[in-house]
Amino acid sequence: MNGPGQLHPHPGPAAQALAADAVDWAAVRADFPLLAREVHGKPLVYFDSANTGQKPAAVIDAVDAFYRHHNANVSRAVHQLGSEATEAYEGARRRIARFTNVRPDDLVLCSGTTFAINLVAYSWALPRLGPGDVILLTRMEHHANIVPWQLVAQRTGARIEVVELLPDGSLDLDMLRDKMTGAVKLLAVTHVSNVLGTVNPVAGICREARRRGITTVVDGSQALPHRPVDIAAIGCDFYAFTGHKMCGPTGTGALWARREHLAAMPPFLGGGEMITEVRLDGTVFADPPRRFEAGTPNIAGFIGLGAAVDYLDALGMANVEAREQELLAHFNEELRKVDGLRILGAAPGKAAVVSFVVDGVHAHDLATLLDLQGVAIRSGQHCAHPLLQWLGVTATCRASLAFYNTHDEIEAFVAALGKVRRLLA
Ligand code: PLP
């Protein structure tokens, strides 16, 4: 964190608008078969992509083709199907690595962010932390980036400290700087908040942490689906992400880690695939990343995720980001016209995640009635209880957009909201 320029590296809206025009977004939307369906007799408006993203036909077809034509286990059988499955699976690892600008061998494939962060907690942090050490978190973390650290703290005697937020939902960077003391061994921070949409300046944060000898874990779950992410350029120690939010199948994700960490970490789970030799008196573990990939992986899922990153790559993540910013600007403009609606989170450059509350209406009631109008949003606490406590609300509605959404859907959403409020009046 050496200067303001490095803390807010988001491209301005003008630069983004140019890129957004480069794509035929109606054609893109047509790639997503599910978006054509109706719900309760109304055209679906899917505004829940921060929860899970919809899948383009290319991903569905890749999974289908694997099971129809190539299904076999990986890294075991010498037969033709076995080598086809292994090549497709390892090919997916290479594509995901290219998409995030890292080396395939530094990418541990796993079930998602939750698994990835637990792997760091158990395999990296447990053996290293002790009484007096501090784990630094932020107020805006998802439970997946809080609870594993609490488990580590309980077992090691380390202490958790929290960096608070500014009123607009930005991270308090001054407080973060002050809290990066010599006692801090690990800093866990989300790249993008799943509730506020705040985009944290993770490259600057990780640079400063590294200068102070603090190991960094970045939760990229809400970043990779929506903006260009160059993990190598961020300069963190660990970067976790989940495939199902970025057009890929559920049960897929990855942990990227610096080579030196992976080389020094003991296995997390034991079993097949993660060894080179097993004797009854001891085992020789495989090199990373396979050392951390015990058992049969989600082969079809990763082949689907490989197709998903190819799809996103072809769209261009700068275009995706620009499109979503354009939708967000329209959405904010429409929501501002709704009486009694309060948006939570207004950090500059925020992502297209809009949490809100409406006077006199419970979030679950609103979401349930919107569903009857064909509109899918999330309501509740979004796996972020500490953040909701800070916001002073027991639940929020959250509308989260993706590049496949449309301006018409924004209008339909606002019309549905008006109808629901008239019903409740
Ligand atoms: N971190 C953030 C910011 C998230 O939004 C989510 C999912 O909602 C997760 C972590 C957990 O991801 P998963 O359930 O795929 O492991």
Side-chain angles (χ1 to χ4, degrees), residues 50-51 111-115 142 144 190 192-194 219 221-222 242 244-245 378 398:
N51 207 352
S111 62
T113 298
T114 303
F115 186 100
H142 185 282
T190 194
V192 176
S193 162
N194 65 312
D219 174 352
S221 310
Q222 299 290 350
T242 229
H244 66 95
K245 296 183 200 288
R378 188 166 170 195
R398 182 187 70 184

Side-chain angles (χ1 to χ4, degrees), residues 1-9 180 187 201-214 216 218 233-237 258:
M1 295 191 292
N2 297 327
Q6 284 146 327
L7 295 181
H8 297 288
M180 283 193 198
L187 166 66
V202 286
I205 291 171
C206 292
R207 192 179 318 114
E208 183 63 18
R210 197 162 178 74
R211 216 172 53 75
R212 300 184 191 206
I214 298 168
T216 46
V218 177
I234 290 171
C236 52
D237 288 282
R258 284 183 189 269

